[in-house]
Structure formats: structure tokens, C-alpha cells
Amino acid sequence: MESNDRTPRTRQSRHTRHTRQAPGARPGGLGGPDGPGGPGGRRGVTTAPATPATPTTPTTPNTPATPAALAELVRQARGPVLVPGDAGYDAERSGFQRAYRHRPDVIVGAECAGDVVAAVRFARVQGLPVAVQATGHGLSAATDGGLLISTRRMAGVRVDAAARTARAEAGVVWGQVVEAAAPYGLAPLNGSSPGVGVISYTLGGGVGVLARTYGFAADQVRSVDLVTADARQLHVTADSDPELFRALLGGGHGLGVVTAMEFGLVPVARLYGGQLVFGGERIDEALAAYLRWTGTVPDELTSSLALIAYPDLPQLPEPLRGRYLAQIRIAYTGSAEEGERLVAPLRAVGPRVSDELREMPYADSHTIHRDPSDPHAYDGDNALLSGLDAAALLRVAALTGPDAPTMCVLQLNHLGGAMAKRGGPEGAAGSVGHRDARFALRLLSPLPGAEAVDDLGAETGDDLGDGGPGFGEAASDGPGSGEASAEGPDAALATVRALHAEALAAVAPWRIGRSVNFLFGSHGERPDAAEVARSVHDADEHRRLAGLKAHHDPENVFRFHPSGAAAADRSPAVGTAVRG
């Protein structure tokens, strides 16, 4: 896992040696105790940077910073400033996604919004592009040079139970918010994994455990604290800047660095949920039954279906080892009695490998999906669908199942319900694309042997913590993986992309677009990168977002996007401000 260690205040750099001053000795406004991002700063007020009012025009892009400029950045920043060769550099640039890893010239481990301001201003003056990372779950476009802002230290969470709101800083993960809200009988619209970052997930829309009941996570946002490309701090609301606010909620990657977000909580203290798991001999029947069943359930029930061909490895539990399984995941906000009645048609499919449906506190909602917690290398694509028939789903299952050339996890999310409505505070609609989709078909494959390796550090970086036999390790010997990994990471990726393309072609009659939350991998390098960028929103929304990107970031400071086409036309459609 990721390191939260602090870099010593005095360190040896390959550029120069810097000695940090005590926080109290720093000038105000750039991360000191009374600066706009410090504990003494005012929240909820639009704040301009202390200096300068008009940022200097960037110089030649990707120019390494000068020692004098680095020394000044170190003086201004509260958090560590790291360059290649520094202790902690590899850990800071590494995240949950192991196939792609940032390789920046400079890293700022931001501890507050003032650090982000200082980092962006420094990058502009030095002509460096900027990327941001919290946990790295959604990392796709890794930096090669430039400046990386690591937000993992910005981990403050505050719950206002009376107002039913929470405020989360840029490095907060969903597990923290769930834990903070639970004592008040409240819940956020979090995703299935407690280790995913709040900010990027929400900027992409956020399809969570309660999505059909309460909509997208973006629909609950009340305000966004943003550092813009010209190093200004903005407190953005539906009233202060409705166009920017709307753009951030579903299309906001690449418009700036979000340092904090306030969002609504919902009155959910418990759930009826868990998994129904069917073995390979019943998968065809289970798939057809699930599709029929989704047309009968109320909005209070959110579900998904996953197909996984588990490798035969000793580190896996015996019931999973070497088996092809269909997992139906259930989250129902009604009573357990009514939940039992609703799932009866699924149980009628026949005997199950396991049946774990139960009433649970919402704090245990992460056990419904049991997403892997160990970092690994992977790539993924998806399709938002207007509908689906059983024959097409069975075709996708056949392509991605045990006989596939490489391991592939298929997940089908049932959408609709509150997600199909225009949500948001006081009816302010965000820019989440394709709200009319009925299903999201997601494909994810491990990339054995593709862990990022470069000449700056070890394969997995330093101080990354212990990793158990998680999804990535287990998959390295999975079906079809040996041949792909033996051919090298490029061949493994080509095999994965070809498989995903063939599987998604089977649902082409219903395909209306993509979800940015479920795009994993360097899709900007694909031959169809422009199509990928434009598939996240309809044409009108894409043009509107491109215009806002051009207005708020005309020099494309935040240019590390999953799609090269998005960067080229300044569209934030599948870009990155803070990656989960």
C-alpha cells in the first residue's frame, strides 16, 4: 500500500541541498499556519494567491527546475518537495495502479491548499506540466517529467450531522467518510472500494453502492475548493460560478486541482445486501435471470453482476480456487423481509456456491463487492448501454471466460433509477454523461509482468508496504496469463485490448458511450483516442466542456489525460485533476 511517511526536513538532493524553515518562519499565504490552505485559513471564501496576481507565462515545457527555484519551493511548501534520487521519491510517485507510474521531475507532497497553490505557481514559472495523484486507483496517463502534486497527506474529514453534509480534503478515501458518518446514521454515496479517493471518483460522476436510490455522487456536491491553472484559489458553488460548478461535477478532470469538496450525506444506517454466487454450471441461467430481474426491481435496490474465472492457486480460498463464478451483488435500502422477497427469483436459479445476503450496518457495505486491496497492474474499458439481451451478454461471457486468452473480469452494473434524473443541490445539474444508460458493462484485466519499471527505482518503489495475495498476484498465473506475460508487457496489453474490443463489439447495438470512472489504462495512446475522449459525453456537452477547458486552462497545464485527443482539443472529458 501507499506510504504516508514524512520526508525529513533536511535532505540531500541531486540538484541541491535544501534546509526547510520552521512553519512559523514562512511568509503567509503559501502554506504557513495562517495561509489560505493552513488550519487558520478561512474556508468558504474565494481567495487569491498572495503573489503574484498575474502568473508568469510558462517557459519551455518540461524544463527541469533550477536549484534556486527548487529552494524557493521548499521554503514555501509545508509538505515535502522531492526530486529523483531523494528518499521517498519512488513511494510518493507510486499508487494502487502498478502498470503505470509517474516519473516527474519534481513532486510536492501537499499538506494543505497553500502547498497546491505554491506547486502550481512554481510549475507555471518553470514551464512544467502538472499532474495530481491521491491513491492512484484511476491512474491512466502517467507523467514523464513535469510536476506531480501528491495529495495523500490532505486527509481531513468533517461531518456536519445537522446539515447532513461532509467536507473531505483531496487525499481522503471513502472508507474515512463512511466511518465518520456512521455514528450519525448517515452515509455518503461512496463506491464499492473503501480505498478509492473521494475527489476523482466524484468528479467523474461516481456510481456507488446506493446509486439507483440516490443518484451519482456528483449530484450531492455542495461546493468545490479549486486551485486553477493560474494558481488562484476558488470556492466554487452553483451560485458563485454555475458553469464551472456544473462542469466539475461529471466532467471536471483537467480544470484544476480540487483541494476539498463538501457534499451531502443520506440517511442510511443499514442495508440488506451481500452476494449470491453461482458456479460455472449455472452461469448461463444466472445471467439470463439477472437481466430479467433488473426490469422488476425498485429504485431502492442497486446491484451488479460479476463473472470471474479464478486461477487455481493455493493462496485463494478453496471455494474460489480454479472456479468460474457469477457473483450477483445486492444493496437494498428497504427492510430485510422485503429484500428476501425481491431476491427470490435469483435464488430460484438453483444451488449456490455461497449465499451471503444479510442485514448489515452501512459501515460494512464494502464487504458486498470485496474489491482487491493490494496494488496491482491492470487495464480496463467499458460501455454504457441503453439495454441488453441475454444472447449478447452470453456472447461477452463466452469471450471473457475461462477460455479467454488472458484473464478478464466482467462486471455489469444495473443503472437507472435516480441516476437517470438531473440531480444536484437546488436542482443544479452536473455534467455526468449518458444518464439515460440502463447498464454499464465493465471489463478489467490484470497485466502480469507489466508493473512499471524504470531506472529511478525498484519495480514497486520503496516504502509501499506489505502486499498480500491480492487480485494482482493471483491473476499472474491465471487463465491465459502465462503466455501473455512471457511475451512481455506490450504483448500482454495488446492481448488485453484486443479481447476487450471484441467483447465490447458484441454489445455495439446498445452502446451509447463510456463512463470515465471505469476507464483504466493509457487510453490516450490508442489509435481511437479521439473517439474514447468523445464517448464520455454527448457532442454538445463535449464541446461545452472543451470551451471551459480552453478558458480555465488555456496553456494546458493539466495535460496528463487518459486520451491524447482530450489534451489536444483542451477537453477535460477524460482528463485528470485529482486521480483516485
Side-chain angles (χ1 to χ4, degrees):
M1 299 297 289
E2 297 177 11
S3 169
N4 288 317
D5 62 321
R6 301 300 178 90
T7 302
R9 289 298 184 183
T10 304
R11 70 185 190 283
Q12 183 70 40
S13 162
R14 70 171 182 164
H15 290 281
T16 186
R17 182 179 178 87
H18 306 307
T19 303
R20 299 179 184 271
Q21 297 181 9
R26 298 181 188 139
L30 286 173
D34 298 318
R42 294 180 296 155
R43 188 178 68 86
V45 179
T46 300
T47 310
T51 58
T54 303
T56 303
T57 301
T59 58
T60 304
N62 294 300
T63 302
T66 66
L70 276 172
E72 178 62 16
L73 178 61
V74 167
R75 187 184 71 81
Q76 293 177 354
R78 177 182 296 178
V81 176
L82 305 170
V83 296
D86 282 347
Y89 173 89
D90 280 336
E92 199 70 43
R93 70 192 178 101
S94 302
F96 187 85
Q97 165 65 280
R98 291 285 181 86
Y100 310 96
R101 188 159 58 150
H102 293 295
R103 185 189 169 113
D105 294 321
V106 182
I107 303 175
V108 175
E111 294 187 359
C112 59
D115 283 2
V116 176
V117 170
V120 172
R121 184 181 301 137
F122 166 85
R124 286 181 57 82
V125 172
Q126 296 299 312
L128 299 173
V130 175
V132 187
Q133 177 170 280
T135 68
H137 273 75
L139 176 65
S140 51
T143 67
D144 185 8
L147 181 140
L148 173 67
I149 299 174
S150 171
T151 64
R152 66 187 69 174
R153 292 168 181 78
M154 299 176 64
V157 178
R158 183 171 70 238
V159 170
D160 185 333
R164 289 185 180 176
T165 61
R167 182 178 187 271
E169 293 182 343
V172 171
V173 297
W174 279 119
Q176 295 174 257
V177 186
V178 171
E179 181 180 4
Y184 306 103
L186 299 172
L189 298 191
N190 57 288
S192 58
S193 172
V196 166
V198 168
I199 301 301
S200 186
Y201 167 95
T202 304
L203 293 179
V207 179
V209 177
L210 303 174
R212 280 178 44 82
T213 308
Y214 292 103
F216 292 95
D219 294 339
Q220 290 291 328
V221 174
R222 304 292 190 265
S223 67
V224 177
D225 291 348
L226 185 75
V227 175
T228 63
D230 55 358
R232 291 179 299 128
Q233 284 186 268
L234 301 179
H235 182 69
V236 185
T237 69
D239 293 328
S240 69
D241 192 332
E243 281 297 303
L244 179 58
F245 184 72
R246 170 186 161 90
L248 288 167
L249 306 182
H253 298 97
L255 291 173
V257 183
V258 175
T259 59
M261 184 178 283
E262 184 176 17
F263 47 88
L265 303 172
V266 296
V268 176
R270 48 152 299 282
L271 284 175
Y272 170 80
Q275 289 191 9
L276 295 174
V277 182
F278 295 93
E281 67 282 358
R282 302 218 173 250
I283 280 182
D284 288 3
E285 188 178 352
L287 297 188
Y290 179 74
L291 278 183
R292 291 193 302 269
W293 178 78
T294 58
T296 68
V297 298
D299 292 354
E300 290 77 19
L301 197 154
T302 303
S303 68
S304 65
L305 165 75
L307 297 179
I308 306 176
Y310 286 94
D312 187 6
L313 294 176
Q315 59 261 51
L316 288 173
E318 182 64 37
L320 303 181
R321 199 176 301 168
R323 301 195 67 174
Y324 184 41
L325 301 177
Q327 303 171 343
I328 300 176
R329 293 86 168 259
I330 305 291
Y332 177 56
T333 56
S335 68
E337 293 76 15
E338 181 62 9
E340 289 283 308
R341 186 190 71 79
L342 287 170
V343 301
L346 298 177
R347 285 186 168 135
V349 168
R352 298 164 294 283
V353 174
S354 65
D355 185 335
E356 301 173 357
L357 297 181
R358 66 201 186 280
E359 190 166 42
M360 65 178 75
Y362 190 78
D364 290 345
S365 62
H366 64 279
T367 65
I368 296 173
H369 291 75
R370 292 190 216 150
D371 290 335
S373 58
D374 301 315
H376 54 277
Y378 51 94
D379 192 83
D381 203 346
N382 68 89
L384 295 175
L385 308 175
S386 60
L388 188 61
D389 66 23
L393 182 56
L394 290 172
R395 170 64 177 159
V396 177
L399 290 168
T400 60
D403 296 328
T406 189
M407 183 178 180
C408 185
V409 178
L410 180 156
Q411 180 164 313
L412 185 70
N413 286 76
H414 182 207
L415 306 180
M419 285 179 283
K421 303 168 185 175
R422 288 287 183 180
E426 300 178 0
S431 54
V432 178
H434 309 299
R435 282 180 176 265
D436 54 342
R438 187 180 173 196
F439 295 105
L441 178 64
R442 303 162 54 185
L443 303 174
L444 187 146
S445 293
L447 294 173
E451 286 79 4
V453 181
D454 55 43
D455 59 1
L456 298 180
E459 178 177 297
T460 55
D462 54 9
D463 302 326
L464 288 178
D466 296 328
F471 175 87
E473 270 190 64
S476 63
D477 294 319
S481 65
E483 181 180 351
S485 60
E487 295 174 354
D490 290 343
L493 179 60
T495 300
V496 165
R497 291 274 171 90
L499 174 61
H500 292 180
E502 186 178 10
L504 292 176
V507 298
W510 300 275
R511 189 168 189 172
I512 59 176
R514 283 181 173 87
S515 167
V516 68
N517 281 131
F518 307 133
L519 270 174
F520 304 122
S522 56
H523 292 279
E525 299 173 2
R526 293 169 48 152
D528 60 344
E531 186 277 326
V532 173
R534 288 166 173 78
S535 66
V536 177
H537 297 93
D538 63 34
D540 289 342
E541 189 73 16
H542 183 89
R543 283 191 293 270
R544 190 183 68 82
L545 291 172
L548 285 168
K549 172 67 173 176
H551 174 73
H552 289 281
D553 186 12
E555 290 155 354
N556 206 20
V557 173
F558 306 111
R559 71 188 63 168
F560 294 102
H561 303 305
S563 168
D569 67 7
R570 303 297 191 265
S571 167
V574 286
T576 177
V578 179
R579 301 303 294 171

